[in-house]
Amino acid sequence: MLYVLRDDTNQICAVSDKPLSNEWERADMDDESLKLFLQNNPEISSGIMESSDADFIRVLEDVIDLLIDKQIIQFTEFPDIAQTKLLNRRRYRESLRSNSDTTRLLEDGDDIF
């Protein structure tokens, strides 16, 4: 979702991924004034696409994991280079999750008893 700031003539003068004040309003990607703004500002447009690509990659990783979990595809059916990349991404995402997990009561290696 994108948020836009409009000038006195109701033209978009800035775009953000979150509202920065009460003046910012949500805009759909099919909004003609947003399309025009992005065409006139390709550096902003490419940044939005890069951000969208990163989000979409996460979705694809989740879909791949779901297909593997449901045994629709086998992990070993992917080429070796794809397996390596998937494993590296999975490890990286798990490390991010574990680093931000503040609910763990025990540290790694701690015994319960």
Side-chain angles (χ1 to χ4, degrees), residues 2-19:
L2 291 178
Y3 293 86
V4 297
L5 182 64
R6 297 183 186 271
D7 63 17
D8 295 337
T9 63
N10 205 32
Q11 296 299 313
I12 295 174
C13 58
V15 176
S16 175
D17 61 344
K18 58 185 171 237

Side-chain angles (χ1 to χ4, degrees), residues 8-66:
D8 295 337
T9 63
N10 205 32
Q11 296 299 313
I12 295 174
C13 58
V15 176
S16 175
D17 61 344
K18 58 185 171 237
L20 302 176
S21 71
N22 290 336
E23 298 170 333
W24 291 75
E25 62 185 63
R26 283 186 1 186
D28 292 324
M29 289 304 290
D30 59 349
D31 182 323
E32 290 301 320
S33 59
L34 177 59
K35 288 179 185 178
L36 180 62
F37 178 83
L38 294 175
Q39 286 174 349
N40 292 333
N41 297 280
E43 68 283 353
I44 294 173
S45 181
S46 65
I48 290 170
M49 283 303 293
E50 287 175 13
S51 175
S52 174
D53 288 349
D55 292 341
F56 191 68
I57 289 169
R58 289 183 196 102
V59 170
L60 284 177
E61 289 172 358
D62 291 342
V63 169
I64 290 169
D65 286 343
L66 179 66

Side-chain angles (χ1 to χ4, degrees), residues 51-103:
S51 175
S52 174
D53 288 349
D55 292 341
F56 191 68
I57 289 169
R58 289 183 196 102
V59 170
L60 284 177
E61 289 172 358
D62 291 342
V63 169
I64 290 169
D65 286 343
L66 179 66
L67 292 172
I68 291 171
D69 290 346
K70 291 188 173 275
Q71 297 180 350
I72 295 171
I73 58 175
Q74 297 292 318
F75 181 77
T76 55
E77 292 176 325
F78 289 103
D80 290 340
I81 190 72
Q83 290 180 33
T84 301
K85 289 179 181 186
L86 287 167
L87 285 173
N88 288 340
R89 292 282 306 176
R90 185 176 292 160
R91 285 186 197 113
Y92 178 69
R93 285 179 75 184
E94 286 174 3
S95 73
L96 288 177
R97 262 188 238 123
S98 65
N99 288 340
S100 65
D101 183 4
T102 59
T103 62

